[in-house]
Amino acid sequence: MTQSSLRGEGSAVEEAIPPAPRKGSASDGRGRHGGGGRGGKKRDAKGRSPARRVLRWSAMVLALVVLGTAGAGYLYYQHLNGNIRKGQRSSGDSKAQRSRPNSAGQMPVNILLIGSDSRNSDANVALGGSRDNRGTPPRGDVQMLIHLAADRKSAAVVSIPRDTRVDIPKCTDPDTGKVYPPVNEIINESLARGGAGCTLATWESLTGVYIDHWMTIDFAGVVKMADAIGGVEVCVKQNVWDRPTPLAPGGSGLKLTAGKHKVKGKEALQWLRTRHAWGSDLLRARAQHMYMNSMIRTLRSQNVFTDSGRLMGLAEAATKSLQVSEEIGTVEKLYHLAMQLKTVPTDRITMTTMPNVADPQDDNHVVPDGAGATKMWKMLRDDVPFDDKGPAPDAKNAKKHTGESAAGRTPSVQADRLGVLVQNGTRTATQAPVGGRAREIGQELAGKGFTRATADTSAALSEEETLVRYPSADLEGDAQSVAKALGVPLSSVRKSTDVSGVTVVVGADWRTGSTYPKEATPKAGDLPDNSDAINGSDESQCMDVYAPYRW
């Protein structure tokens, strides 16, 4: 069996939606990703059982879908508003910028879903166990980015395994004011280093994708919400029983015969918790993506939208379970965001996992697969659909959207008077930095007239993509002139408060040579092979059961 594998102001939701109707109107585990695999122990470094982490995933996904059906929540709008907890959108350093609008002036929307392992309530302790960990900062064990295309005709979901080692930026806890320095650690630790806003900043730093909003959820309401859905169809190719074995104690308890089954309540949780019977954490992510797709199809096939009693029950559970970034912290705004998500047909929804490889520093972790992950992030930044079912884009508008044909701004000073700092950003999680790259590209700039270009001799940075950064609008034209001299696309010229002047960061995509390597613009549907993509309308998906767990 094979393994499957922004800075800006205001709310993108408010920019893209019509006025609201008036009130009253009609992951766990450690395998490769944490020490379990097909035979390891099911405990993390703090002794927590990995099985319960998927409870948050279930509640998170169910809550998201509920939001798409929450129109009846306006019947008791103020009550539901009181249920919603809110937090700061970003609490960490980030260099990401909003995407450019498409030719129709529409903007994409990116929403980060975070499943918290919080044990700070009786309900969460009852579902998640481990009373000894009550009161400790929660971690983000499940993380998914939903990308809603600018034209609202397609959507993509990307999961990042909880044990992916990344650079977590400097973050400040919005409640305590505590400042956490940058670290290189697994991504689920980011939630404990400044809340959901730090996890958002971590994603932005990793991907370069501006994230408009976040939503977090713990696992206290999962059983109630799973039952409220009314059951979701899943499929296994062989009889499955996820039970303890001599090499792997524990297990979800899932026991099904081969074929299709409708699961809900406890059985639905068992499906989402199962890891050993599938063979790895990555394959469990596939099972979760199948469940999520099936659930969306189920809700759309039912008369949920006309059953106000059922909608109110779902909305009640969802709003009590969710915490959201403050700019979408009302039922009204969540409703309109959900209505935009609802417009995407199921055959234009694509579920994926970030391309990744084993961490050379720790077999229990993974790191982004450089070329594959970089391609996926570029597709998100450029709003390229993950599927190929849409119309072919107009080439002229596509170039305008990505900034390739932009005329640019006029430089404020001549090249020989402009100070440019060149940094080496060729370090990656799997490769050592290339020595002397800042000096080499600095010399290349000097030869093109930028005689005041200097190389930064401090430690190498980690940047997948070569960037030209500038601190303020008056230097944008100067930064663009530097990019043009080097052949770097204008879409890689970005405003950043982390620099004091025009700064070139030579990324891992330019490890050799003085000529910037030209890369083909990603095409719709041209995903990396190891992204384990599943289309939302694919009803043929069926999980293969790892042999020791067949019966």
Side-chain angles (χ1 to χ4, degrees), residues 267-410:
E267 202 167 45
L269 292 179
Q270 290 174 333
W271 176 273
L272 297 170
R273 290 172 53 198
T274 296
R275 174 174 64 93
H276 286 172
W278 309 143
S280 73
D281 281 347
L282 293 178
L283 291 173
R284 182 173 64 179
R286 179 188 295 177
Q288 293 169 351
H289 290 162
M290 290 180 189
Y291 182 94
M292 189 173 179
N293 280 333
S294 180
M295 181 171 55
I296 292 171
R297 294 194 300 266
T298 299
L299 284 170
R300 290 192 173 189
S301 68
Q302 299 172 345
N303 294 322
V304 176
F305 303 106
T306 60
D307 187 342
S308 61
R310 184 178 178 190
L311 284 176
M312 290 168 67
L314 291 171
E316 183 78 25
T319 54
K320 282 184 176 179
S321 301
L322 282 172
Q323 182 175 5
V324 302
S325 50
E326 56 195 359
E327 75 287 343
I328 53 169
T330 67
V331 171
E332 178 182 356
K333 291 180 179 179
L334 289 172
Y335 170 77
H336 284 286
L337 177 60
M339 289 304 98
Q340 294 181 74
L341 291 167
K342 178 187 164 188
T343 64
V344 180
T346 54
D347 67 348
R348 298 297 311 279
I349 299 172
T350 308
M351 303 279 176
T352 65
T353 299
M354 177 198 71
N356 61 85
V357 295
D359 184 352
Q361 297 182 16
D362 188 334
D363 289 341
N364 293 325
H365 300 159
V366 297
V367 293
D369 172 16
T374 297
K375 182 178 184 180
M376 180 173 280
W377 307 147
K378 183 171 178 59
M379 292 178 75
L380 290 173
R381 290 194 303 269
D382 292 350
D383 197 30
V384 177
F386 277 20
D387 71 299
D388 59 1
K389 299 179 182 297
D394 178 81
K396 181 178 180 180
N397 286 334
K399 284 188 176 183
K400 180 180 179 181
H401 169 63
T402 58
E404 296 298 331
S405 64
R409 297 194 178 187
T410 302

Side-chain angles (χ1 to χ4, degrees), residues 37-86:
R38 293 185 173 178
K41 292 184 178 180
K42 297 178 63 182
R43 293 278 168 182
D44 64 17
K46 296 184 178 181
R48 297 171 178 170
S49 171
R52 61 178 176 269
R53 296 192 183 104
V54 185
L55 297 176
R56 277 89 69 196
W57 181 91
S58 177
M60 172 176 62
V61 170
L62 290 169
L64 177 70
V65 176
V66 167
L67 290 174
T69 63
Y74 280 99
L75 297 176
Y76 57 132
Y77 176 81
Q78 293 299 335
H79 169 71
L80 291 180
N81 269 345
N83 288 344
I84 301 171
R85 294 166 294 138
K86 299 178 284 292

Side-chain angles (χ1 to χ4, degrees), residues 14 98 110 190 248 256 306 315 318 355 376 415 431 440:
E14 296 178 78
R98 289 189 186 277
N110 296 297
S190 61
L256 298 173
T306 60
M376 180 173 280
Q431 294 178 301
E440 291 174 23

Side-chain angles (χ1 to χ4, degrees), residues 234-238 258-260 271 286 290 539-545:
V234 297
C235 178
V236 287
K237 293 181 180 179
Q238 303 89 13
K260 294 183 177 181
W271 176 273
R286 179 188 295 177
M290 290 180 189
E539 299 184 37
S540 67
Q541 292 289 325
C542 202
M543 289 301 296
D544 194 12
V545 180

Side-chain angles (χ1 to χ4, degrees), residues 150-487:
D151 63 7
R152 305 300 188 260
K153 294 180 180 178
S154 68
V157 176
V158 180
S159 295
I160 290 185
R162 64 176 295 274
D163 288 326
T164 302
R165 183 166 58 84
V166 299
D167 287 327
I168 300 175
K170 173 185 173 182
C171 292
T172 303
D173 191 303
D175 297 324
T176 66
K178 181 177 179 178
V179 177
Y180 293 88
V183 294
N184 183 255
E185 188 51 88
I186 59 174
I187 197 167
N188 80 326
E189 296 289 346
S190 61
L191 190 64
R193 299 177 64 84
C198 185
T199 301
L200 179 144
T202 301
W203 271 74
E204 288 190 339
S205 296
L206 174 67
T207 67
V209 176
Y210 182 89
I211 300 175
D212 301 276
H213 320 293
W214 56 256
M215 297 181 183
T216 69
I217 196 163
D218 54 28
F219 45 82
V222 64
V223 174
K224 181 187 298 183
M225 293 185 66
D227 286 337
I229 292 296
V232 173
E233 187 174 83
V234 297
C235 178
V236 287
K237 293 181 180 179
Q238 303 89 13
N239 295 349
V240 59
W241 187 5
D242 193 47
R243 63 197 185 279
T245 69
L247 295 177
S252 71
L254 179 71
K255 188 174 185 180
L256 298 173
T257 56
K260 294 183 177 181
H261 299 268
K262 180 169 282 192
V263 296
K264 64 179 182 178
K266 180 180 178 181
E267 202 167 45
L269 292 179
Q270 290 174 333
W271 176 273
L272 297 170
R273 290 172 53 198
T274 296
R275 174 174 64 93
H276 286 172
W278 309 143
S280 73
D281 281 347
L282 293 178
L283 291 173
R284 182 173 64 179
R286 179 188 295 177
Q288 293 169 351
H289 290 162
M290 290 180 189
Y291 182 94
M292 189 173 179
N293 280 333
S294 180
M295 181 171 55
I296 292 171
R297 294 194 300 266
T298 299
L299 284 170
R300 290 192 173 189
S301 68
Q302 299 172 345
N303 294 322
V304 176
F305 303 106
T306 60
D307 187 342
S308 61
R310 184 178 178 190
L311 284 176
M312 290 168 67
L314 291 171
E316 183 78 25
T319 54
K320 282 184 176 179
S321 301
L322 282 172
Q323 182 175 5
V324 302
S325 50
E326 56 195 359
E327 75 287 343
I328 53 169
T330 67
V331 171
E332 178 182 356
K333 291 180 179 179
L334 289 172
Y335 170 77
H336 284 286
L337 177 60
M339 289 304 98
Q340 294 181 74
L341 291 167
K342 178 187 164 188
T343 64
V344 180
T346 54
D347 67 348
R348 298 297 311 279
I349 299 172
T350 308
M351 303 279 176
T352 65
T353 299
M354 177 198 71
N356 61 85
V357 295
D359 184 352
Q361 297 182 16
D362 188 334
D363 289 341
N364 293 325
H365 300 159
V366 297
V367 293
D369 172 16
T374 297
K375 182 178 184 180
M376 180 173 280
W377 307 147
K378 183 171 178 59
M379 292 178 75
L380 290 173
R381 290 194 303 269
D382 292 350
D383 197 30
V384 177
F386 277 20
D387 71 299
D388 59 1
K389 299 179 182 297
D394 178 81
K396 181 178 180 180
N397 286 334
K399 284 188 176 183
K400 180 180 179 181
H401 169 63
T402 58
E404 296 298 331
S405 64
R409 297 194 178 187
T410 302
S412 62
V413 299
Q414 294 180 343
D416 60 357
R417 296 177 57 195
L418 178 65
V420 181
L421 182 67
V422 185
Q423 297 178 324
N424 185 347
T426 57
R427 176 176 63 84
T428 72
T430 58
Q431 294 178 301
V434 178
R437 286 302 286 158
R439 177 180 51 80
E440 291 174 23
I441 301 306
Q443 291 175 346
E444 179 69 14
L445 272 174
K448 294 181 179 294
F450 294 88
T451 54
R452 296 185 62 188
T454 59
D456 185 350
T457 59
S458 57
L461 305 174
S462 177
E463 196 71 62
E464 293 287 350
E465 179 186 13
T466 296
L467 300 172
V468 181
R469 294 176 174 147
Y470 62 95
S472 56
D474 60 307
L475 289 174
E476 182 176 5
D478 299 306
Q480 290 177 345
S481 68
V482 170
K484 290 177 181 178
L486 293 173

